[in-house]
Amino acid sequence: MLYSGTLLGIITAAFVLGDYHGTTNQLLAMAGGSVLMWTLGKLHQATARRGEFANITAGLGLSLLAATAYIWSFQDLWHPVRLDLIRSSVAILFLALSVTGSFFLLRRERQTQQWPTIGVLAVGAMLCGSALLASARIDNMEVLFIIVTNLAALVVAAVIIGMSLTDERRSVFWLGSLYLVLLVLSRFLEYETSLLVKSAAFLACGAAVILAGIRYEQYLRRKDPRTTGDKEKEIVHE
């Protein structure tokens, strides 16, 4: 916990430092820091060095990345401000370390295990790219930034749910599903729509979560060797 807490403290310091010139610098600090935490956690796992830090560091990094994508998916946060290279130097260092660490991580991981890292890198690239473009103060680009950050949040949800299928962890699946539902409902509540449409959205999300939960439990039962063994015994007895 001390290791992860120290990393969070450094990211928080970079976030506070970027507040002088607005949310663009803060987004760069949070996105770069969360990708760095994820990369460090996966490197601990891949190299088997200090493996006790792996899950908690990668989990905190992914959680922070999900929170960052969700927060900046709201249109009110997008104000064009100029990037301060001096105050954002820590965030830029985060990005450089993340790219370097990801290069070594992708070389060590098997091809079938690389997709979560690629997804996290894609989200970091979308968020940091939006922050850099916003700092250029290009007119009428806020809609594009909102679309990109919402797509980044959807990729985070896909990574979380995909990891739950790979690792067969129910808690991760429900966290990813609830995050996806929160993202969809937030868009309906943020923009002006009729109460009927909002009610339909709530019902659709609830039904989708229930259906996804049922399908996920069926998937786990098929993967459970004990369930498969019981079925084989029944067939033999017959």
Side-chain angles (χ1 to χ4, degrees):
M1 287 297 294
L2 181 61
Y3 177 79
S4 302
T6 303
L7 290 174
L8 281 177
I10 295 172
I11 295 170
T12 304
F15 176 82
V16 174
L17 191 65
D19 185 51
Y20 182 78
H21 278 284
T23 57
T24 299
N25 298 275
Q26 293 174 331
L27 173 57
L28 198 62
M30 288 184 67
S34 56
V35 175
L36 178 60
M37 284 193 71
W38 163 270
T39 304
L40 287 175
K42 299 302 287 184
L43 281 173
H44 283 302
Q45 185 179 14
T47 59
R49 294 179 181 177
R50 295 293 182 182
E52 63 272 18
F53 297 147
N55 290 334
I56 187 170
T57 305
L60 283 174
L62 189 59
S63 300
L64 183 59
L65 188 65
T68 303
Y70 176 74
I71 291 170
W72 265 271
S73 66
F74 291 89
Q75 60 178 345
D76 293 337
L77 282 179
W78 286 101
H79 305 292
V81 293
R82 190 172 298 281
L83 183 68
D84 190 314
L85 292 177
I86 296 176
R87 288 183 174 270
S88 298
S89 57
V90 179
I92 295 172
L93 178 61
F94 288 162
L95 293 174
L97 292 175
S98 300
V99 172
T100 305
S102 299
F103 174 76
F104 289 106
L105 179 60
L106 291 173
R107 290 188 62 183
R108 296 188 67 95
E109 287 183 329
R110 295 195 300 270
Q111 189 172 2
T112 55
Q113 297 176 341
Q114 291 178 354
W115 63 266
T117 302
I118 294 173
V120 169
L121 286 176
V123 172
M126 285 189 281
L127 295 178
C128 293
S130 297
L132 293 174
L133 283 176
S135 65
R137 295 185 177 182
I138 303 174
D139 294 333
N140 302 321
M141 291 288 286
E142 287 81 4
V143 175
L144 176 62
F145 300 147
I146 295 167
I147 293 173
V148 171
T149 48
N150 275 277
L151 286 176
L154 290 174
V155 174
V156 172
V159 169
I160 296 173
I161 295 174
M163 289 174 58
S164 73
L165 295 174
T166 303
D167 300 336
E168 299 179 15
R169 295 171 59 185
R170 286 185 177 88
S171 58
V172 177
F173 171 79
W174 286 113
L175 284 174
S177 300
L178 291 176
Y179 178 76
L180 183 60
V181 170
L182 177 64
L183 183 66
V184 173
L185 292 181
S186 296
R187 299 291 75 80
F188 275 97
L189 295 175
E190 182 182 11
Y191 299 104
E192 300 231 355
T193 52
S194 66
L195 289 177
L196 181 61
V197 174
K198 290 180 179 179
S199 301
F202 275 102
L203 290 174
C205 287
V209 169
I210 293 173
L211 181 61
I214 294 173
R215 297 286 295 178
Y216 184 71
E217 290 298 328
Q218 292 175 347
Y219 169 80
L220 290 182
R221 288 197 192 96
R222 289 196 300 269
K223 296 283 288 184
D224 191 350
R226 292 174 298 179
T227 305
T228 305
D230 292 340
K231 290 182 179 179
E232 291 178 351
K233 288 178 182 178
E234 291 176 2
I235 294 173
V236 170
H237 286 309
E238 290 177 359

